[in-house]
């Protein structure tokens, strides 16, 4: 799995449906139909920076379909 923030492969699983990127220090949480991305604050708390429905991530849009012949 690649990091959705920095696109590096420095991502590991830290819990059930939770992943952490050691390159950009982002936490990715996948719940039911949504993908949430958090940044870690100076005090250690999580700040939500992005939320997207999984169907919008997993279903490619038409330019991608045309480019990769999907």
């Amino acid at each position: 799995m690649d990091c959705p923030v920095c696109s590096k492969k420095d991502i590991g699983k830290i819990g059930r449906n939770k992943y952490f990127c050691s390159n950009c220090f982002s936490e990715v949480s996948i719940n039911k139909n949504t993908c949430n991305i958090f940044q870690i604050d100076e005090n250690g708390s999580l700040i939500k920076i992005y939320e997207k429905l999984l169907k919008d991530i997993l279903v490619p849009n038409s330019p991608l379909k045309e480019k990769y012949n999907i």
Side-chain angles (χ1 to χ4, degrees):
M1 182 171 152
D2 295 338
C3 177
V5 177
C6 68
S7 299
K8 302 286 183 178
K9 294 200 180 278
D10 301 331
I11 193 162
K13 191 168 186 173
I14 58 171
R16 186 174 181 181
N17 301 326
K18 289 188 178 185
Y19 302 89
F20 180 77
C21 178
S22 59
N23 185 54
C24 65
F25 305 107
S26 296
E27 184 174 312
V28 179
S29 174
I30 300 173
N31 297 318
K32 294 185 183 178
N33 297 329
T34 59
C35 174
N36 297 306
I37 300 174
F38 301 91
Q39 289 284 31
I40 299 175
D41 196 15
E42 294 173 357
N43 65 2
S45 62
L46 295 175
I47 301 171
K48 186 188 291 189
I49 59 169
Y50 187 77
E51 180 175 346
K52 187 80 171 176
L53 290 175
L54 285 179
K55 67 177 184 157
D56 295 338
I57 295 171
L58 298 176
V59 177
N61 57 23
S62 57
L64 285 178
K65 288 180 183 178
E66 293 170 6
K67 183 176 180 180
Y68 296 107
N69 296 322
I70 299 174

